[in-house]
Amino acid sequence: MKKTSRLFALPYAIWVFLFVFAPVLLIIYKSFFDINGHLTLDNYVTYFTSPNMTYLRMSLNSILYAGIITLVTLLIAYPTAFFLTQLKHKQLWLMLIILPTWVNLLLKAYAFIGIFGQHGTINQFLGFFGLGVQQILFTDFSFIAVASYIEIPFMILPIFNVLDDLDHNLINASRDLGANNWQTFTKVIFPLSMNGVRSGVQAVFIPSLSLFMLTRLIGGNRVITLGTAIEQHFLTTQNLGMGSTIGVVLIVAMLAIMWLTKERKK
């Protein structure tokens, strides 16, 4: 039986090695070479000691934007997920919320360019009230709004699953003991749904750290993140070593977020 189980696990192990461990090891390996292919630690020195702390500021920007996007999606996703669990056809409504994730990211980005543009839907609406054309596209607001819209389903889904599986006997017991709705939520429902919140934070924060296409199309290069820097080094400057170094830092940051948001056993 054990041999059969190991045999079935072999394709999974090969897949994980080829598409998870091997790429990570390759990035770490390439980070120790400069643009001329010489073995060096200069990439890491440059990252931490660059003029004006360029790369460190970029890292802080990435963390800041990812944190804001995560907070916005959480504030919207939690009440949405809670409301969905109260509906009769909740699975249908959940599917309708997840449906936009099937649409190509590039198509959604161009759709928002049309909405936020100088002659877009929002500016036409503002013009109807005589407010004039506003610069909405290529701003921090537009970038955060679009990124949050794209990431919201990944926050809603884990929270919904946890809330939907809650034992209603615990909620009824809380009310029988005299707790009002707010006390029941803060003392029973929210603490028991923290696993879903942690999973949602991981699912949103980690991808948000490495966004690069939206920074160009929606942020207009005003928003600079680690993902943007990696793209530039790999596709423009051809400095694979520096791009790999930033990739290593990004991987470490992702692992740190996973550790910080993991479930703590009491």
Side-chain angles (χ1 to χ4, degrees), residues 151-192:
E151 301 286 358
I152 275 179
F154 303 106
M155 181 70 78
I156 291 178
L157 191 58
I159 296 175
F160 171 85
N161 289 334
V162 171
L163 290 175
D164 195 42
D165 290 337
L166 281 183
D167 187 351
H168 287 276
N169 290 326
L170 296 174
I171 299 173
N172 294 332
S174 173
R175 289 170 179 163
D176 289 342
L177 292 171
N180 57 35
N181 290 335
W182 176 250
Q183 290 172 328
T184 300
F185 175 76
T186 56
K187 301 296 184 181
V188 179
I189 297 176
F190 187 73
L192 291 176

Side-chain angles (χ1 to χ4, degrees), residues 196-211:
V197 173
R198 292 189 189 97
S199 298
V201 168
Q202 291 179 1
V204 172
F205 191 94
I206 291 175
S208 297
L209 276 176
S210 56
L211 288 173

Side-chain angles (χ1 to χ4, degrees), residues 77-138:
Y78 197 99
T80 302
F82 184 81
F83 177 71
L84 285 175
T85 60
Q86 313 301 313
L87 298 179
K88 183 178 180 180
H89 303 291
K90 51 190 174 184
Q91 296 296 338
L92 174 62
W93 289 106
L94 181 64
M95 187 191 72
L96 292 176
I97 290 176
I98 296 175
L99 202 60
T101 61
W102 299 359
V103 180
N104 184 273
L105 178 61
L106 187 62
L107 294 177
K108 288 187 283 190
Y110 276 110
F112 274 102
I113 291 175
I115 293 172
F116 289 147
Q118 293 284 336
H119 304 287
T121 306
I122 294 180
N123 271 315
Q124 289 179 3
F125 180 78
L126 294 175
F128 179 77
F129 290 98
L131 297 177
V133 176
Q134 304 294 320
Q135 180 61 44
I136 303 174
L137 193 63
F138 306 144

Side-chain angles (χ1 to χ4, degrees), residues 7-260:
L7 185 62
F8 282 123
L10 183 61
Y12 173 76
I14 294 174
W15 176 275
V16 169
F17 175 78
L18 290 178
F19 299 104
V20 178
F21 290 112
V24 170
L25 292 174
L26 182 60
I27 289 174
I28 295 173
Y29 172 76
K30 292 295 292 183
S31 70
F32 291 104
F33 291 87
D34 62 16
I35 195 170
N36 297 314
H38 300 141
L39 188 65
T40 181
L41 291 174
D42 287 349
N43 293 326
Y44 289 94
V45 173
T46 301
Y47 181 89
F48 290 104
T49 63
S50 59
N52 300 321
M53 298 295 181
T54 303
Y55 291 107
L56 291 179
R57 287 169 53 197
M58 194 180 302
S59 302
L60 291 176
N61 275 342
S62 298
I63 294 172
L64 177 61
Y65 282 116
I68 293 173
I69 293 167
T70 303
L71 180 61
V72 170
T73 56
L74 178 60
L75 292 176
I76 297 173
Y78 197 99
T80 302
F82 184 81
F83 177 71
L84 285 175
T85 60
Q86 313 301 313
L87 298 179
K88 183 178 180 180
H89 303 291
K90 51 190 174 184
Q91 296 296 338
L92 174 62
W93 289 106
L94 181 64
M95 187 191 72
L96 292 176
I97 290 176
I98 296 175
L99 202 60
T101 61
W102 299 359
V103 180
N104 184 273
L105 178 61
L106 187 62
L107 294 177
K108 288 187 283 190
Y110 276 110
F112 274 102
I113 291 175
I115 293 172
F116 289 147
Q118 293 284 336
H119 304 287
T121 306
I122 294 180
N123 271 315
Q124 289 179 3
F125 180 78
L126 294 175
F128 179 77
F129 290 98
L131 297 177
V133 176
Q134 304 294 320
Q135 180 61 44
I136 303 174
L137 193 63
F138 306 144
T139 62
D140 291 348
F141 167 79
S142 62
F143 171 72
I144 292 171
V146 175
S148 299
Y149 164 79
I150 291 171
E151 301 286 358
I152 275 179
F154 303 106
M155 181 70 78
I156 291 178
L157 191 58
I159 296 175
F160 171 85
N161 289 334
V162 171
L163 290 175
D164 195 42
D165 290 337
L166 281 183
D167 187 351
H168 287 276
N169 290 326
L170 296 174
I171 299 173
N172 294 332
S174 173
R175 289 170 179 163
D176 289 342
L177 292 171
N180 57 35
N181 290 335
W182 176 250
Q183 290 172 328
T184 300
F185 175 76
T186 56
K187 301 296 184 181
V188 179
I189 297 176
F190 187 73
L192 291 176
S193 64
M194 279 305 296
N195 283 340
V197 173
R198 292 189 189 97
S199 298
V201 168
Q202 291 179 1
V204 172
F205 191 94
I206 291 175
S208 297
L209 276 176
S210 56
L211 288 173
F212 67 92
M213 185 175 67
L214 291 181
T215 59
R216 296 194 182 281
L217 296 178
I218 305 297
N221 285 335
R222 291 186 69 259
V223 179
I224 305 298
T225 64
L226 291 177
T228 307
I230 293 172
E231 179 203 23
Q232 187 175 26
H233 281 301
F234 270 89
L235 300 182
T236 304
T237 66
Q238 297 294 307
N239 191 346
L240 305 187
M242 195 65 215
S244 298
T245 300
I246 301 172
V248 171
V249 173
L250 189 58
I251 291 171
V252 171
M254 291 177 178
L255 292 175
I257 294 302
M258 293 178 67
W259 181 82
L260 289 172

